[in-house]
Amino acid sequence: MKILMVCLGNICRSPLAEGIMKTKVPGNFFVDSAGTISMHEGEHPDKRAVQTAANHGIKISNQRSRPITKADFDTFDKIYCMDIDVMADVVSKTRNEEQRQKVSLFLEVLGDHENAEVPDPYWGDMKNFEEVFQLLDRGCDAIKSQILS
């Protein structure tokens, strides 16, 4: 199973989601992250995301930002988007319905958050990063349960 987490710049939400998910799935799973923009391409995750993950025993400091590519739609089985705008951008890059079916809003898996978005903590403080971490952790647990059931 190959899972891709996608946010805007691939320096806050999706690197955290990638790091969290990697701690929850078996080693034969491949988890990666990407952004819909290339502004931060090649950069490490935001220092606040790195610190928040480290506070929970997860190392994401070696990750590098990258934009989503057309090849990702062939490579990945599931593509989870952090918010509606990101999802619209990702869906616009799909070439067919099969690829479109791989794309979903990350929080849809929690049921009661069907249209909820993972807030972007970039303009916030460490408290916002921790809140996002907790939301992503719950979502990753639900995704794991769904995929492994």
Side-chain angles (χ1 to χ4, degrees):
M1 172 69 68
K2 295 178 182 168
I3 300 168
L4 184 65
M5 304 295 189
V6 185
C7 69
L8 183 64
N10 191 215
I11 59 168
C12 296
R13 297 171 289 176
S14 57
L16 280 169
E18 174 188 345
I20 294 166
M21 187 57 88
K22 283 180 174 177
T23 70
K24 297 182 182 293
V25 293
N28 62 331
F29 277 60
F30 178 73
V31 182
D32 196 9
S33 62
T36 56
I37 62 171
S38 59
M39 186 169 95
H40 300 287
E41 187 170 359
E43 293 178 19
H44 292 287
D46 184 288
K47 288 181 170 120
R48 297 164 296 174
V50 171
Q51 183 59 54
T52 301
N55 291 346
H56 294 276
I58 300 172
K59 184 177 180 186
I60 65 168
S61 59
N62 291 334
Q63 293 182 24
R64 297 278 187 163
S65 174
R66 71 173 185 87
I68 192 167
T69 67
K70 290 195 181 295
D72 288 329
F73 296 101
D74 297 321
T75 302
F76 290 92
D77 303 301
K78 300 279 188 181
I79 301 172
Y80 294 100
C81 301
M82 298 295 137
D83 64 49
I84 292 168
D85 289 338
V86 166
M87 184 168 163
D89 197 7
V90 170
V91 167
S92 76
K93 297 174 188 323
T94 60
R95 295 185 301 271
N96 55 50
E97 185 59 23
E98 180 184 346
Q99 290 179 348
R100 165 64 188 93
Q101 290 301 314
K102 296 178 178 186
V103 181
S104 63
L105 199 55
F106 179 85
L107 289 179
E108 283 179 355
V109 72
L110 292 178
D112 59 334
H113 292 92
E114 186 172 323
N115 294 309
E117 300 178 302
V118 177
D120 190 344
Y122 183 78
W123 301 108
D125 57 20
M126 288 300 291
K127 177 178 179 268
N128 299 111
F129 276 83
E130 179 60 30
E131 289 167 353
V132 165
F133 181 94
Q134 294 301 325
L135 191 57
L136 292 171
D137 190 52
R138 287 197 344 260
C140 286
D141 279 339
I143 289 168
K144 174 188 171 186
S145 294
Q146 187 180 69
I147 289 172
L148 297 179
S149 63

